[in-house]
Structure formats: structure tokens, C-alpha cells
Amino acid sequence: MACLFSAITPLQTKAQVGEADALRYSQSILGGTARYAAMGGAFCAVGGDLGSLGYNPAGVAVFNNSQLEFTPGLTIQSTNANYNGASTTSQANVVNVQSMGLVGTRKVRNKDGDAGGWKSYSFGIAYNRLNNFDDNVTIQGKNYNSTMLNDLTTQANGTNYQNLPNLDPYKVSPAWQAGLLDTMANSNASQYFNIIQPSLTGSGNYILQTENINTTGSMGETDISFGGNYNDKLFIGGTIGIVDVNYNLTDTYTEAAGYTDVTYGFSNYSYIQNLNTSGTGVNFKLGFIYRIMDWLRVGGAINSPTYFSMTDNYSTTWVANYIASPYTNNTAQQVTTDAYGNILGSQTSYNYNLTTPLKAIAGAAVVINHQGILSADYEYVNYSNINLNSGDPNLSPGYIPTLNTAIAQDFIQANNLKFGFEWVLYPLSFRAGYAIYGNPFNDSAVGYKSVRTSYSAGIGIKVNNVSFDFAYTLMQYSELYQPYTNAPTATLKTNISNAIFTLAYKFGPTTPHHHRRERFNNAYPPPPPPPPPPGAY
């Protein structure tokens, strides 16, 4: 039976396949403007940036003026895969809109002229891209010992070939129909061997294994925020986030004979998976920023879980090629359909709900000589709290509980740290940042760790009410991946580069709000008092 989130992705090795997809929608590696990105995303106690609306919504209350922003970006993702001694490098590029939105600010004046109390309130709406899924990974190497068909042979053993479509219509049954599996003699048609393994055993022959994982799509969030500034000391805010997901995958796995198979005539086969995942989610965020002293600010925020409603459309196809041999009656052929003319493979769709973990954020920022700022943030995320549920009858009743149990065992709490720096030499601003995202995997269960590091730098220029900012970020991480059970382990090293540009226009100065009596007195001021009588003091 096919699995929910059936596509294999290079995110883990021993953990269940569906966990990789659950993790993908629980992590954010993009989002925000050039200033936000250049400072490593350390904005919990800074604010005043469109990117902070989906991070600490109190940042919307820091704006002194209304502002309109637009941020395009270029993402270049490169992955080097080392598999069984062979190295391949692949790359994917995409131009996207990383952020855009509007913040409106309104000043408040107390009718009795009191300088204290609420100073202003702000409303903001922004779109921030959280993840970019455009990627292209190729893994290739020679294998002298095993084949993916070993897994299918083990799975098929004990089942009569007529019942294989009920056992697994996506992998095992089409492999049988393509002639890649065959029954053993005197086994009541329920014990199997694959046609590759005999040629590998003790012979020095090899198969060339190639897997290309091509993905497209993105995950973005529309944030609707409201905040208030109390006495220029306390800034509070809240956000409703609406998340959209579109993910497309084509995973092509090929095994080709590095020998001449005169027994079965095997040349090569390809197993292709296609997955489209789409859905929407909603979350809520609350936060504050407090100015303890002119030079010191602290902030905190709670980001609720995102509650997704998702749909997967999944299919597999198989193609097997044979050379002329006794096994194929001396006729070369390509097998793409079964005996009834049906395309080898199957397709299905699932509906399910996914809940991502809560995120807690704390930060501090130090203002240096009214000219620079140094900020640091801490994030807490417990990935073992990822949860799925579904009432879809297409899913095996035990699959969701099994997957949730695996998630709880294989994921752990991650601690993320972000640091940012900005120095203003008007009209120029110089920025730098660093972030380290903690390992989400339980090393004892999964078998490895994956820590992501991000380096960033940027520059900005402001002329009157217009500002232009540029940032460059580089994220690096390494992961392990196995195409199938007992396959050699591939090491994947990934670099993600982002060039980000922000154009912003500031509306200002904002018009203060006056009480009706104040507006009357301003329009028609009272007459001046009469002069004092002669001789008065």
C-alpha cells in the first residue's frame, strides 16, 4: 500500500518516509525583507520591519510611519551527493516574490494633552514566503552488492502473485508485471527472486543506480497584524497567519545493468513517483517588545501551531527494458504495461490534517550610540509534537497512528539561535547576521544529526521617503539518505544562496488624530486676552 506523503525526499535515512514531508511543512527557512534577512532574522526585540509580522507581531507597533514594501529574490540551491564513492552535483534556480505588504500607522493624542498613554496604533498586511521547494538532486553510483528489488522480493514473499495488486499496487505488483520479479520453483507461486541479484552475487558485476529528485513549489504566509504603542515603552501585537502550500515532486529511480545479461536479458528499469501536495493552514501569533532603557529592549512571542488541511495526489509508473536473450525469446523489448494493457503502477489521493509544532521566541536588542543595534533571539520548537490525523478511507487504518508514533520517537526539541547587527551611517546602513538551527532528529533513533547554519550580510540606502535594501544569505547543511533498505548511505551537502532586494516607500508624516474640540480650536482659535490695565504688575 502506498504511504501518505509517499515521495522519498533527501531529509532523513532510517525514519519513516512520511516524517520528511511533515518536517518540511514545519520548518521555515525564508521569509521577510532584505533588512530582516541580512540581520539573520533576529527581530524579536527590534520590529519595524515587514518580515517581523509573521515572527513577533509586536514589530508592527514599532512603525512610526505608514510604509509600502516589495521584495523580490533569487534563490540558488546546490546539492553535492556522494554515493558509494561517486560524487554528483546538481543545482536549481528560481526567482520569486519573497515579501510584500503594507503597514498603516495612526498617531493618537490624548484630548487633555497628557503625553502618556497610547501613542499610536498600526495595522499591517504582508505576504512572506516561508519555504522554496524548487530543487534538483541527483544521486548516482555503482552498486556491486544489492538492488532495490531486494526490498520488493522480501515484501512479496508469502503472497501468491495473483494477490500482489492487493499487497502493493505501486511498487511490488508492477515490478512483477514488468518481469523484474519471478516466482521460485515449487513455491506455490508465493516465493520470489529478482532477476538482478543472481548476476551480482559473487560475480563482480554491478548495476548503475541513479536517482533524480526534482521538486517545485513553495509555502507562503499572508499575515494580518494589529498592534499598539503604549507610552513608547511597551509595544504589543497580534497576527492571524494564513498559509498556502503547493509542492510538486517527480522522483525517478533507475537501475541499469553494468554487465551483459544473457540469462534474463535485463538492461534497465525506471521507477517514477509523482506527488502533488496542496493545502491551506491557519495560525495565530502574539508578541510584545518592551523598552527597558533607551539602549535596551526585550521581546517575546508565541507562534501557535499551524493547522493544515492537505490533499496528496500520488502516482507511480514503471518502465523496464530488455535486450535480446533466451529469457525474452531473443527479442528486445520495453515493458510499460501489464498483460491487460494497463500502465504499470497506480495512483491515489488522500485528504488529511497536519498540525505543526508551537514556537516560542525570546529576544533582546542593544542600541549602540543611537547609531547601531545588536540583537539576539532564541527559538524553541519541539518537532516531536507534529501530529497528523485523517478519516480518509483510502488510508490504512493503522498508518496514521504508526506515523505519529514514529514522529514522536524520531524527532526532538530544537533550539535555534539568531544574531543580527546593523550600523547606520546616514544615508547608508550596513548589516550582518548569523543563525544556527538546531538538530530536529533524535540521533539515537534516526542515526544522524542535521544542523543548519546561515550567514548573511546586506546594505541599505535611504533617500527621503524611499529606501532600497540588498541582502545575501547562505544556508548550509548536511544530511544522509538511503534509496532503499540496506542501500549504501549517500551524504548530501546543500548550499542555499539567496539574493534579496527590498524597495520601500514611507508615507509620512502621519496625521495626528485630534479630538473634535481640538479640531475646532485649531480652526478658530480664541481671541487673545486684553492688555493689563495701566500700573498692573
Side-chain angles (χ1 to χ4, degrees):
M1 174 169 292
C3 295
L4 179 67
F5 307 109
S6 298
I8 300 174
T9 54
L11 289 175
Q12 56 188 23
T13 169
K14 296 180 181 178
Q16 198 165 344
V17 172
E19 300 173 63
D21 302 82
L23 181 64
R24 176 188 299 113
Y25 306 127
S26 300
Q27 292 184 309
S28 301
I29 63 174
L30 296 176
T33 63
R35 181 176 180 236
Y36 180 91
M39 294 178 63
F43 263 74
C44 186
V46 179
D49 188 273
L50 209 64
S52 66
L53 270 61
Y55 186 63
N56 180 359
V60 73
V62 178
F63 280 87
N64 289 321
N65 301 84
S66 300
Q67 192 158 309
L68 177 67
E69 296 185 4
F70 177 72
T71 303
L74 169 65
T75 301
I76 302 173
Q77 184 155 331
S78 174
T79 301
N80 176 266
N82 191 296
Y83 180 67
N84 217 18
S87 179
T88 56
T89 300
S90 48
Q91 183 174 296
N93 308 327
V94 61
V95 176
N96 55 63
V97 176
Q98 183 155 314
S99 177
M100 61 181 177
L102 171 69
V103 171
T105 299
R106 186 78 170 178
K107 294 187 182 299
V108 177
R109 178 183 292 180
N110 193 302
K111 67 178 182 179
D112 59 8
D114 186 3
W118 293 102
K119 296 288 188 179
S120 64
Y121 57 87
S122 301
F123 171 83
I125 181 167
Y127 170 83
N128 287 296
R129 179 168 292 219
L130 304 180
N131 265 323
N132 174 59
F133 298 138
D134 288 70
D135 195 11
N136 184 40
V137 177
T138 298
I139 303 166
Q140 186 176 73
K142 295 178 180 179
N143 193 327
Y144 293 84
N145 301 306
S146 69
T147 164
M148 188 183 76
L149 299 180
N150 291 349
D151 283 5
L152 307 189
T153 303
T154 301
Q155 189 176 348
N157 281 335
T159 301
N160 185 278
Y161 73 90
Q162 294 179 332
N163 293 324
L164 290 180
N166 297 323
L167 175 70
D168 182 356
Y170 305 96
K171 296 178 70 174
V172 176
S173 179
W176 155 263
Q177 297 286 353
L180 301 171
L181 305 184
D182 202 355
T183 53
M184 299 178 66
N186 303 318
S187 67
N188 196 27
S190 60
Q191 296 295 316
Y192 299 83
F193 69 95
N194 69 72
I195 64 173
I196 294 179
Q197 193 63 50
S199 297
L200 297 180
T201 306
S203 63
N205 294 335
Y206 70 88
I207 55 172
L208 181 65
Q209 298 175 323
T210 306
E211 184 167 11
N212 178 258
I213 305 169
N214 183 269
T215 59
T216 61
S218 65
M219 182 168 72
E221 181 174 280
T222 300
D223 296 311
I224 303 170
S225 304
F226 183 83
N229 168 3
Y230 186 81
N231 205 28
D232 290 329
K233 297 282 287 184
L234 176 64
F235 307 86
I236 60 173
T239 290
I240 297 175
I242 303 170
V243 185
D244 61 278
V245 171
N246 183 41
Y247 175 79
N248 303 286
L249 175 141
T250 299
D251 184 345
T252 303
Y253 178 82
T254 300
E255 293 190 336
Y259 55 90
T260 300
D261 186 355
V262 297
T263 304
Y264 304 105
F266 171 72
S267 175
N268 62 76
Y269 78 87
S270 294
Y271 162 54
I272 303 139
Q273 300 180 88
N274 288 285
L275 172 69
N276 168 257
T277 298
S278 60
T280 57
V282 63
N283 59 53
F284 308 93
K285 305 177 181 74
L286 293 173
F288 77 92
I289 297 173
Y290 187 74
R291 190 195 304 265
I292 298 176
M293 289 173 277
D294 286 344
W295 58 273
L296 178 62
R297 304 175 185 179
V298 296
I302 294 291
N303 295 182
S304 80
T306 300
Y307 304 94
F308 282 108
S309 176
M310 310 284 277
T311 298
D312 276 11
N313 293 298
Y314 175 70
S315 65
T316 64
T317 54
W318 287 71
V319 176
N321 290 290
Y322 296 89
I323 60 175
S325 72
Y327 184 76
T328 57
N329 297 319
N330 294 314
T331 302
Q333 61 175 315
Q334 182 178 82
V335 181
T336 60
T337 59
D338 62 18
Y340 304 99
N342 299 311
I343 295 176
L344 296 180
S346 190
Q347 61 183 8
T348 189
S349 63
Y350 302 109
N351 296 303
Y352 56 93
N353 298 315
L354 167 67
T355 302
T356 67
L358 174 145
K359 180 188 292 184
I361 310 166
V366 175
V367 178
I368 306 170
N369 195 34
H370 298 284
Q371 197 170 7
I373 192 165
L374 183 64
S375 59
D377 288 0
Y378 165 78
E379 297 177 357
Y380 167 89
V381 188
N382 191 342
Y383 292 104
S384 68
N385 290 332
I386 296 172
N387 183 267
L388 296 99
N389 66 80
S390 175
D392 195 317
N394 289 332
L395 281 170
S396 169
Y399 178 73
I400 292 294
T402 300
L403 180 55
N404 283 332
T405 298
I407 287 172
Q409 293 174 346
D410 294 341
F411 290 150
I412 59 173
Q413 163 192 330
N415 303 296
N416 306 329
L417 294 174
K418 299 179 178 181
F419 302 93
F421 174 76
E422 180 180 52
W423 193 261
V424 179
L425 296 173
Y426 190 83
L428 298 177
S429 299
F430 301 91
R431 306 176 182 111
Y434 172 77
I436 181 167
Y437 297 85
N439 170 50
F441 299 117
N442 182 353
D443 186 18
S444 61
V446 175
Y448 80 104
K449 298 180 180 180
S450 180
V451 176
R452 298 179 298 168
T453 55
S454 176
Y455 309 88
S456 55
I459 188 171
I461 183 169
K462 182 178 180 181
V463 180
N464 297 325
N465 290 335
V466 178
S467 60
F468 178 82
D469 298 282
F470 169 78
Y472 172 79
T473 68
L474 173 64
M475 177 171 285
Q476 298 177 317
Y477 58 93
S478 297
E479 295 172 311
L480 302 181
Y481 174 70
Q482 282 182 297
Y484 56 90
T485 305
N486 297 322
T489 299
T491 300
L492 308 180
K493 296 183 178 180
T494 300
N495 292 330
I496 303 176
S497 299
N498 283 291
I500 305 164
F501 309 85
T502 296
L503 179 64
Y505 176 73
K506 182 178 293 185
F507 300 80
T510 56
T511 303
H513 174 75
H514 296 296
H515 187 267
R516 183 174 60 183
R517 180 172 298 173
E518 289 182 285
R519 295 198 300 268
F520 177 84
N521 288 336
N522 288 338
Y524 304 96
Y537 292 97

